[in-house]
Amino acid sequence: MISRVIYAFLSVGILGGLLGLALAYASKIFAVKKDKRITDLEEILPGANCGACGYPGCSGYAEAIVNEGAEMTLCAPGGADVASKVGEIMGVTVEVSGEKMVAQIHCHGTRDTSKVKYDYKGINDCNAMHSSFGGDKSCPYGCLGLGSCIKVCPVDAISKTDAGYLNIDKDKCIACGKCINVCPTGVIKMIPYSAKTIVACNSKDKGGIVRKYCSVGCIGCKMCEKKSPDGGFKVENFLAYIDYSAEGSRTEAIEACPAKCIKNLDEAQ
Amino acid sequence: MSDELKLSISSSPQIHSPQSTAKIMWLVVAALVPAGVWGVYIFGLRALLVIAVSVAASLAAEYIMTIVFKSGNTLFDGSAFVTGLLVGYNMPPEVPLYVCAAASVFAIIVVKWTFGGLGANWMNPALAGRVFVFFSWTSGMSKWTMPRILADAVSSASPDTVSGATPLGFVKTNLMNFTGTSSGPIDFLTSQGYPVHSYLDLFLGKIPGCIGEVSALLILIGGIFLILIKIVNWEIPVFYIGSFALLTWIFGGLNFGNGFFSGDPLFHVLTGGLMLGAIFMATDMVTSPVTRKGMIIYAIGCGFLTFLIRSYGSFPEGVSLAIILMNIFVPLINRLTQPVKFGRLPKEKKND
Amino acid sequence: MFKEFSKGLIKENPVFVLALGLCPALGVTSKVVNALGMGAGVIFVLIGSNIFVSLLKNFIPDKVRIPAYIVIIASFVTVVEMMMEAFLPSLYDALGVFVPLIVVNCVILGRAEAFANKNGVGASILDALGMGIGFTLALVVIAFVREVLGSGSITLIGMGSWDGVIKIPGLYESPIRVFSLAAGALLVMGYLKALLAWSTDRKAVKK
Amino acid sequence: MKGLKTFQRGGIHPKGRKELTNTKKIVKADIPETLIVPFSQHLGAPAEVAVAAGDEVKEGMVIGKPSGFISAAIHSPVDGKIKEIKDIFLANGMKSKAAVIEKSEGFVPVEKKTQDWNNKTPEELTGIIKDSGIVGMGGATFPVNVKVSIPKGEKAEYLIVNGVECEPYLSADHRLMLERTSEIIEGLRILKKIVNPEKVAIGIEINKPDAIEAIRKKAAEEGFELDVIPLKLKYPQGDEKQLIKAVSGREVPSGGLPIAVGCVVINAGTVNAIYEAVVLEKPLYERVVSVSGNGIKNPGNYLTRVGTPVSALIEACGGTNGTPAKIVVGGPMMGFTIYDTETPVAKGTSGILVLTEKEVNAEKRTSCLSCGKCIGVCPMGLNPTKMFKFIDHSDYSGAMDIGLMDCKECGCCAYTCPAHIPLVQGMRLGKKMARKKVS
Amino acid sequence: MTYVGIIITFVFINNFILSQFMGLCPFIGVSKNVESAVGMGFAVTFVMSIAALATWAIQNLILVPLHIEFLQTITFILMIAALVQFVEMFVQKSSPSLYKALGIYLPLITTNCAVLGIALIAVRSNYNALESFVAGISAGLGFLLAIVLMSTIREKLDSEWIPKPFRGTPIAFITGGLMALAFMAFDKALLNNLIG
Amino acid sequence: MTDMLKIGGRLALICAVAALCLGAVNAVTEPKIDAARVEKLQNALAQVSPGGTIGEEVLVDDAVVESYYKLDDNGKTIGYILNLKGSGYGGDLIILAGFLSDGTLYNTVLMEDDETPGLGKEAEKASYMKKYLGFSGSNIPSAKSQLDQTEADAISGASITFTGIGKALEAGSVYVTEMEGK
Ligand SMILES: Cc1cc2nc3c(=O)[nH]c(=O)nc-3n(C[C@H](O)[C@H](O)[C@H](O)COP(=O)(O)O)c2cc1C
Ligand SMILES: Cc1cc2nc3c(=O)[nH]c(=O)nc-3n(C[C@H](O)[C@H](O)[C@H](O)COP(=O)(O)O)c2cc1C
Ligand SMILES: Cc1cc2nc3c(=O)[nH]c(=O)nc-3n(C[C@H](O)[C@H](O)[C@H](O)COP(=O)(O)O)c2cc1C
Ligand SMILES: Cc1cc2nc3c(=O)[nH]c(=O)nc-3n(C[C@H](O)[C@H](O)[C@H](O)CO)c2cc1C
Ligand code: SF4
Ligand code: SF4
Ligand code: SF4
Ligand code: SF4
Ligand code: FES
């Protein structure tokens, strides 16, 4: 019995020792340098693989930062936080500007509120429909509502509301810009995360024309401009824009808008 | 705001052939009816009950799944009906009703809808359902009844040699303990006093077996009809049956202690649901390859596996297992048999 | 501290969420009692190896980290194996080759790599306990479904004159046997995972 | 039918419906009071607007100048006044600038006299074609002057005239070949001088036996060496790649041009337009349009001025029968539906179809059954269902990898698909998105 | 058992994935696309065949003569772990492109039960050296077959709209389950009938 | 170099210590395991033995019979216990069977198998094996058709196991009669 324990002790010890030596030796002759910074970067990048940085996934971006000297602020989901950490690893301080942005769809028109030109039969895809006469809505600027953006959003931030228009959940959105890229009408635009209001219309047509085809479209009446003396609203090309840097309450403008197309985001959700 | 009449806008082509999914499915149902009617005729109303329960369970499962997954109503596209019908056709007439219902439910819910419904499944639902219940309730799935029209022949044969086995099952299980010589299955059946021993009976369907598989003749007629109206490609049944028959002919005699090239392909083609499988089940478009070349490879694979399982496996028939095994290979076959693009032909010599 | 323990139960459940240690999770779950036995074995090995790895983390050279961990793990597994064979022979038979395979149960090496070699002994024990119980929990759930459907019974640890088998009338006589076989194990696993995905999704939506 | 030439792979046999119009002689359509002339009637860059609102224009006057290498001139179809320049939608759903022209009162088209062209050099002839704004009238509207300028190092062996007209309903080319036979032969002489091919051939499907006969006879009479090749009935034989395959057995390589296999393909109507441009000095502002479909009271072939609104042309045929399901510009396989009947006829408009529900055969779309029928009929040897699925899942590069760019959008796949999947629309979407990504 | 028998057994009848429940983690984890499945399959086959041979040597040259069979598990796994690491380093140095293709899977193989499984099974079946080696290759090929088929099916499923809760691993398990159902056609009795 | 030695040495140390500990545990458990194994075999032998003293195990070279034990009753051989190998649905079946010296099967148990629970595994029960008892030679049933209806139904779905065991027992019985004949 005792002899077996001794055999066990010796044989396994020798086996382990030999293998250990072999591995240690092998790791020396087969040594391959891998930049540790890449693995470190991979760890701090969010791992969403959303591609907003323009590289194939987070590890692709990590490699690009180290090997190709790619910009360090490209990770939209990670935002300022990650950018500064990237800087730490790379040994530089990174200037990060601004607050987190989120995408919003600037149109709350549905097929009930806006006039329809034709009876569309085909693929449920905004780009496909847009190829036929710019979509079935008489308004050429609005959201077509077939949800191409929903399909591309990597974090499922976009959904259809009960009222029938689409809404983006600002807490989920990581500002990757994919929806903006895919949308054929350009109705999605970035706004600051803290924004509380949007003008839910994208029509640059004259008020009279808008009235003809949409009951919730901005008619460019400049009411909002008047009701927000601090410069919160500006009308250009018959469409109202919000200057999110201007302080001040917007309730009055919301009340005053005859088309009711200025929306309180918290209510819209 | 959209009250006036609007013209439809659609992408080209602006016209369409008269075919549609629903038409295809209901035509398949029509082609299946004769074989089923025959089954009910020879096995009695119990067989009809089995078919009805299978179809009802299949439709019910389909209905529930369309609600669960909030997809449009697909009951009338006929595909669940075909699945249910084929499940019923693949059941012995005396099968407990919960077994055939379970097969249908498994087929529709697990095999079809888990993957997203019509067209998304990669395994033949009806066959997977059958195999599932076969492995679960093996004994319930192997209780056979003699056709009513054979009553005379049966009563004259000794009852315990024929306690309801299909010709194929009878030959296979009894061959294990058989020590005499026999030139082939038909000879063997005759020598053992089995009540069916003519090719004609096999062809017409006067044999025990699954409800819908017995009448090779009526299945063949339905199949030819489907081939003529271009719903079924001829390649799959022909290469399936052909390769199977060839292998049986070459090696099938070995089990009887005879040499090569002495098998009895006719017997094997007419029994064990091969016809039903080759014509109606291996041809399910969803679970078979998309190109001609692929179909041929797939069909030969089915033929080979059916032969292998029949001759050497533990189960008498091999059709259902062979087809679902080949279903596994279909995506691979599709990958390997992409169509050849136009413009690949090398440029002709300018001066010829 | 409690987090180290609780995360393994659901949020980072090794089987359902991390998809590790799948083979035993499917191989030994045809009976509930086997799942319990396997779970106990894994908990023991996990705790033992986590303790030793975290103790020795500075002693073990990086280049032979994996072999060293695995030797430690294998030692505990062998202890379990020998003990089980000596004292619980029927369970040992039922678990078959899966007992030595605890060594390669990815959960264990995974924890050694991901947790014990970075943390202190206390945290490592809690982590091991959480992961081990999470693993056991998952196994028991799978085994429960499989045994009820596939055998029509629930086999627990027998005591005294009771053999530990609860028979389910109806199902026991003609069970859906496929669920006790390989195919059924994979199917059950798939549906349980889908159920989990669905419920976490719903929770997220509610929030 | 046996022994007739055709292409090998794929193809379909939709109902021809040619009987609605193929016996109807070409008649002149009334010129409406207001014409809408788009500046983008061809493949390539839109023409540069050369007039402004209020300008007086004359029939045949250039109102749009070619704005690049691949572009074409636009001419005024009538005497009149430019009312405005505005954005309109073309039949294909794209936006274009267009001149709205008010016809001057009492406008009568000028009768043209024939000119002798024999002493003109090939370069001069090409120049005339370019100045006349001739574009391919077989559908692709590719500027013909570019097409007939054979690149250095290439040699055209075959000049193939496309008289196939494989699209159902259409018979404009058919009638042209019957009624303008000698003009087409003369046009071919011009082309032969420019292109200098070894052989000239014309492919005609055998559902037009009278045209085959007429061309054969006329060529023999005039001593013009022309290979008249009757072709088996099969869509899309009129596509140049398929036609070249049918006529010469050669396969244009993927992504390549016909000239890569020594061929130049010209549509029969285009040949007629070349004749008119060179011999009659008449730029392209008028073409034959087949107006057909069961929804049209009096189907027929109309010589129509470019810019004529569809509504005016339908009016000219006695209007519609009941409620139409679709109004199609072009053939039923490749054409576009329009929602606004003010859409104008353009140089490439070969037909206006008013289709009823019954002809359309639209049904509910279901999921793909993997039946493989679309693969079987694709003349380009593609895998439409797989490409569609890639596109459906936004994997455009996946679709490109398996040949999306080779797709001709011929519609065979979508026509056949029992699941009624809009495959062609998918291919278009895929190409559009793939381009969007690239740029 | 003959070599043919061993091959058929480990490729079809006792397919490690579809009937033995070994090597499931990489089977589920690395079967998302065909390329990596093929890579993983070959890597596993390679390691399994060498491991079967090496562990045969340990068993018969060290453990049995010294009567210390109870050290089977620990010595085998030690050997395998070292082997895998060795292979990994070697490949990384000698062929970076191969390493890119296989490298990420190699560490996974250490904790793949299939490798230890084949070692233990070969020893328990009293195979000789060559038989162990053949068993190792065959079991590896069985794994390769299963994972490649799985990956082709999963690629097909990528182009379908799988209901949301099932996307990812759940559908992979269910697919594996259906594959296992079909593979039940291959049983011991079939082998016995086939090769007597 | 010292680095390498350090690495190798530490791994060796861990391995050796681990092995040492295992050796200790093994020293405790092994006797127990062996005892249990012997006990199991003894119980089984006693169960199938028709009587007499059980002799030494004799290994034989035969396709089915692996080994036998002679049963001795005061110098007279009253029978044998055979260790048989049959083939079932899930692989080999190891059967321990006691025969009288005329080849009649006295009792038998299934020691090892890999059959399906609910089907072939039923053969581990005495009630299943009862169907074979009291027969000898080719009278030992190995097909459904040799059973009456209720018994046949009981093995329905597991006839491969039944045949496998029956065939092995038959070979065992023949082996016994041959041994006696010599
Ligand atoms: C970018 C481009 C360049 C072309 N260049 C030539 C050319 O140099 N020579 C020529 O004969 N055709 C040329 N073509 C015309 C094509 O051969 C073909 O006639 C045209 O695309 C329409 O064909 P389809 O109607 O079959 O699509 C060109 C086409 C494109 C799109
Ligand atoms: C699917 C398809 C079908 C076509 N059918 C015809 C046809 O029937 N007749 C025709 O002249 N051109 C047809 N074309 C256009 C030809 O490909 C080619 O562009 C034309 O013959 C070239 O002559 P053109 O430039 O004078 O138009 C078709 C093109 C496609 C893609
Ligand atoms: C999942 C499954 C497990 C099986 N297990 C066994 C088994 O353990 N023993 C056996 O003899 N046959 C087994 N079989 C084989 C079949 O039941 C075989 O068809 C049957 O033994 C022969 O049919 P019969 O007994 O009804 O004559 C099994 C079959 C399946 C599908
Ligand atoms: C020719 C043909 C054969 C079919 N065969 C089957 C079959 O064997 N099993 C089945 O479940 N469905 C069958 N179907 C119906 C349908 O394809 C099946 O429900 C789909 O597999 C479900 O996605 C068949 C349909 C056709 C057109
Ligand atoms: S926002 Fe754009 S992409 Fe999204 S549904 Fe509207 S039109 Fe489509
Ligand atoms: S797709 Fe749009 S909504 Fe979704 S995360 Fe990206 S930017 Fe936000
Ligand atoms: S439209 Fe494209 S994919 Fe479809 S058949 Fe024609 S060439 Fe092929
Ligand atoms: S024809 Fe339609 S249903 Fe058939 S494979 Fe093609 S896309 Fe799918
Ligand atoms: S547990 Fe078996 S491979 Fe992970």
Side-chain angles (χ1 to χ4, degrees), chain A residues 105 126 142-150 166 179 182-188:
Chain A
I105 299 173
C126 307
C143 166
L144 300 178
L146 298 188
S148 291
C149 46
I150 299 181
L166 304 194
C179 52
V182 81
C183 177
T185 65
V187 68
I188 311 181

Side-chain angles (χ1 to χ4, degrees), chain D residues 336-350:
Chain D
F336 298 92
T337 43
I338 54 169
Y339 75 95
D340 179 4
T341 50
E342 292 309 298
T343 310
V345 167
K347 292 176 184 178
T349 307
S350 47

Side-chain angles (χ1 to χ4, degrees), chain C residues 59 64 75 79 85 87 177, chain F residues 10 18 22 32-33 37 119:
Chain C
F59 177 74
V64 291
S75 312
V79 170
E85 193 174 1
F87 301 107
R177 200 182 323 112
Chain F
R10 286 193 177 176
L22 290 180
K32 251 197 106 84
I33 295 171
R37 214 175 266 152
L119 291 177

Side-chain angles (χ1 to χ4, degrees), chain A residues 31-63:
Chain A
V32 175
K33 261 187 249 122
K34 188 177 178 195
D35 201 321
K36 191 169 169 300
R37 290 179 299 175
I38 296 182
T39 29
D40 288 349
L41 286 177
E42 276 168 4
E43 239 164 65
I44 61 150
L45 290 173
N49 288 323
C50 69
C53 48
Y55 295 91
C58 297
S59 56
Y61 180 44
E63 256 174 54

Side-chain angles (χ1 to χ4, degrees), chain C residues 19-24 101 104-107, chain E residues 21-26 108 111-114:
Chain C
L20 295 174
L22 296 176
C23 307
L101 288 185
V104 280
N105 185 321
C106 322
V107 179
Chain E
F21 294 119
M22 285 182 210
L24 284 171
C25 303
L108 282 178
T111 51
N112 176 342
C113 352

Side-chain angles (χ1 to χ4, degrees), chain B:
Chain B
M1 268 188 132
S2 47
D3 35 11
E4 318 144 44
L5 188 97
K6 301 279 174 346
L7 286 167
S8 342
I9 294 296
S10 55
S11 172
S12 66
Q14 311 298 354
I15 53 175
H16 197 280
S17 74
Q19 259 191 0
S20 75
T21 304
K23 265 185 216 160
I24 290 181
M25 294 300 168
W26 291 115
L27 281 168
V28 171
V29 171
L32 278 166
V33 164
V37 170
W38 173 260
V40 172
Y41 167 63
I42 62 167
F43 294 125
L45 283 178
R46 166 80 198 183
L48 186 61
L49 187 62
V50 170
I51 297 179
V53 168
S54 307
V55 171
S58 169
L59 291 177
E62 176 92 3
Y63 183 65
I64 291 170
M65 292 324 272
T66 54
I67 289 174
V68 169
F69 290 127
K70 299 192 186 69
S71 60
N73 184 349
T74 53
L75 274 189
F76 301 108
D77 72 13
S79 102
F81 197 100
V82 175
T83 300
L85 199 61
L86 283 168
V87 167
Y89 279 23
N90 273 290
M91 293 289 148
E94 291 295 330
V95 73
L97 294 180
Y98 67 84
V99 170
C100 62
S104 282
V105 169
F106 185 83
I108 297 291
I109 293 184
V110 176
V111 187
K112 182 173 168 190
W113 275 95
T114 302
F115 293 88
L118 177 66
N121 53 306
W122 58 271
M123 188 180 261
N124 189 318
L127 285 177
R130 180 199 148 88
V131 168
F132 172 76
V133 294
F134 175 75
F135 284 153
S136 287
W137 296 287
T138 313
S139 46
M141 284 294 290
S142 32
K143 287 207 174 68
W144 307 102
T145 19
M146 280 291 159
R148 292 188 301 185
I149 50 171
L150 279 185
D152 301 344
V154 174
S155 59
S156 66
S158 77
D160 55 85
T161 47
V162 295
S163 64
T166 64
L168 191 63
F170 186 85
V171 169
K172 182 152 176 178
T173 42
N174 287 285
L175 211 52
M176 288 184 196
N177 308 308
F178 180 64
T179 42
T181 55
S182 176
S183 64
I186 289 286
D187 193 19
F188 182 77
L189 289 176
T190 319
S191 71
Q192 299 290 302
Y194 189 82
V196 186
H197 38 72
S198 89
Y199 290 118
L200 191 66
D201 284 354
L202 299 178
F203 184 61
L204 294 179
K206 297 195 211 164
I207 46 171
C210 291
I211 299 167
E213 76 180 20
V214 284
S215 174
L217 172 68
L218 294 173
I219 293 169
L220 200 62
I221 291 175
I224 291 175
F225 167 66
L226 290 183
I227 289 175
L228 288 181
I229 58 173
K230 299 224 163 90
I231 286 183
V232 161
N233 294 75
W234 64 267
E235 286 89 350
I236 293 179
V238 168
F239 279 90
Y240 186 169
I241 297 173
S243 60
F244 172 76
L246 190 71
L247 286 166
T248 308
W249 176 58
I250 299 177
F251 301 105
L254 299 180
N255 285 345
F256 292 88
N258 303 330
F260 288 100
F261 303 107
S262 63
D264 184 350
L266 197 54
F267 172 80
H268 278 278
V269 168
L270 295 177
T271 53
L274 184 83
M275 286 291 213
L276 184 68
I279 294 176
F280 285 96
M281 313 201 69
T283 50
D284 174 18
M285 327 167 149
V286 174
T287 52
S288 60
V290 288
T291 61
R292 218 175 102 101
K293 209 158 82 193
M295 288 178 194
I296 293 174
I297 297 174
Y298 162 84
I300 293 176
C302 286
F304 169 74
L305 286 173
T306 308
F307 165 76
L308 187 76
I309 297 167
R310 266 203 192 171
S311 303
Y312 303 104
S314 335
F315 322 106
E317 84 287 77
V319 175
S320 31
L321 284 163
I323 296 176
I324 61 169
L325 272 169
M326 282 315 290
N327 285 162
I328 298 178
F329 287 85
V330 167
L332 181 66
I333 295 176
N334 276 340
R335 255 179 93 88
L336 299 178
T337 56
Q338 283 293 305
V340 182
K341 270 203 258 171
F342 184 94
R344 287 271 212 78
L345 205 85
K347 193 173 158 181
E348 268 180 59
K349 288 259 152 38
K350 284 238 168 172
N351 49 358
D352 65 2

Side-chain angles (χ1 to χ4, degrees), chain E residues 2 13-15 17 22 46 55 60 74 79 81 92 97 106 120 134 140 143 150 165 170 183-184 188 192:
Chain E
T2 60
I13 292 164
N14 285 350
N15 186 290
I17 300 285
M22 285 182 210
F46 179 72
T55 51
N60 290 288
I74 177 168
M79 192 71 204
Q92 190 174 12
S97 61
L106 284 166
L120 293 173
V134 171
F143 178 85
M150 178 72 160
F183 262 70
M184 281 165 71
K188 268 277 164 43
N192 290 342

